[in-house]
Amino acid sequence: MRKPIEHLVRNLMCAALALGLLLPETARAESGEQIFQTRCIACHTVGGGRRVGPDLKGVSGRRSEEWIIKFVQSSQAMIAAGDPEAAKLLDEYKIQMPDQTLTAAEVKSVIEYTDGGAAAAAAAPASEFPKATPEEVVLGQRLFVGTERLANGGPSCNSCHDVTNDAIISGGVLATQLTTVFTKLGGGGVRAILGSPPFPVMQKAYDGRPLLPAETNALVGFLEKANEGQKDHMPRDTGIKLFGGGVGGALFLAGCYSMVWRKRKRDSVNQSIYDRQVASK
């Protein structure tokens, strides 16, 4: 009776040890796919061609694992330090990759996933989409400036971005000017960033408030139209006009208050009593 129990315990321990050896590999592979789908796919494909950044197919064969980890974690520091490969990427793609808060193990898991080739490529979205209709372009313009709110409550684009277009008021200066973003990133890149922002500030702004597909189509259409028609529009600085409008509005309100309260008492009550007492003497 005692031996069967010992055998059972020994078998359970062996099974637990085997699972312990296998689970980390499985979890790491799943983690790599998840990280790629949430953090990388906005800018990269695997065998689907260049997007905002390079196609990651075969990247582990082009650069060392150590270089890739360092670049993912601190690409901007590498560019500032004059790393020739990092500088070459910036020159080619015209945009700095945001530093990613990924551990070396997480970057390795992404490399393992992208080395999966066909499976990863199959997960990449298509890069060709139909051109936006004129109605969608108009909707995109309203969404960009905030005259029509995004369905999930995200901030309008011109809170941080500006685009040269005579039909809209100037936008913010906190982020990139978007007039030529279509030339720089292409429709697939713009669409990917709107669908899965790779930038930490943008991720925070739209956390839990993603754009609807129809809103993405409309904004992509508007930005494409703005890119195509940039030569017909002039850069505008509406700051002076806004300041002048504010001053004019304040003066107008002050005038209105003066008219409404023109019969108001100008002296104190004590002054009136004092004046009557002086007059009665």
Side-chain angles (χ1 to χ4, degrees), residues 22-273:
L22 291 174
L23 276 176
E25 292 298 326
T26 306
R28 194 167 63 178
E30 292 173 352
S31 177
E33 179 179 2
Q34 185 178 25
I35 293 169
F36 181 86
Q37 295 293 340
T38 57
R39 306 281 289 272
C40 312
I41 202 170
C43 300
H44 301 280
T45 68
V46 183
R50 58 181 289 166
R51 187 172 284 167
V52 180
D55 186 337
L56 296 183
K57 182 178 181 180
V59 66
S60 61
R62 298 193 296 271
R63 296 184 177 85
S64 69
E65 185 177 271
E66 181 184 4
W67 188 94
I68 295 172
I69 293 171
K70 188 177 178 181
F71 184 78
V72 171
Q73 294 177 334
S74 56
S75 61
Q76 299 185 36
M78 290 177 68
I79 292 170
D83 181 276
E85 289 297 321
K88 184 178 177 182
L89 286 174
L90 175 61
D91 183 60
E92 182 176 357
Y93 291 93
K94 312 299 183 188
I95 186 171
Q96 285 193 6
M97 176 177 167
D99 292 346
Q100 301 296 315
T101 55
L102 298 175
T103 65
E106 288 172 330
V107 178
K108 289 179 183 178
S109 70
V110 174
I111 295 172
E112 289 177 2
Y113 173 69
T114 58
D115 281 348
S127 58
E128 296 298 331
F129 297 90
K131 196 175 181 68
T133 64
E135 292 77 16
E136 287 177 318
V137 172
V138 173
L139 172 61
Q141 178 179 313
R142 295 203 303 267
L143 293 172
F144 186 91
V145 299
T147 53
E148 181 154 337
R149 296 201 61 182
L150 295 168
N152 288 325
S156 61
C157 304
N158 75 340
S159 301
C160 298
H161 299 278
D162 192 17
V163 62
T164 302
N165 191 299
D166 295 342
I168 66 173
I169 194 171
S170 294
V173 295
L174 299 176
T176 306
Q177 222 273 5
L178 297 181
T179 305
T180 59
V181 70
F182 222 83
T183 298
K184 295 175 180 175
L185 307 181
V190 175
R191 185 178 296 277
I193 288 178
L194 291 174
S196 180
F199 308 108
V201 174
M202 198 170 170
Q203 288 173 354
K204 189 71 175 177
Y206 293 95
D207 184 24
R209 298 180 290 184
L211 300 178
L212 301 180
E215 293 171 337
T216 299
N217 290 338
L219 286 168
V220 171
F222 168 67
L223 291 172
E224 182 177 15
K225 188 74 174 179
N227 196 144
E228 292 173 350
Q230 57 176 305
K231 294 181 180 177
D232 301 325
H233 299 271
M234 295 295 293
R236 293 175 303 131
D237 182 4
T238 55
I240 295 177
K241 292 182 179 178
L242 290 174
F243 177 76
V247 172
L251 293 174
F252 174 76
L253 290 175
C256 290
Y257 292 148
S258 298
M259 293 295 293
V260 170
W261 293 319
R262 64 183 182 279
K263 294 182 179 179
R264 69 189 183 281
K265 193 173 184 60
R266 290 181 171 78
D267 300 323
S268 67
V269 175
N270 290 339
Q271 182 67 45
S272 298
I273 295 173

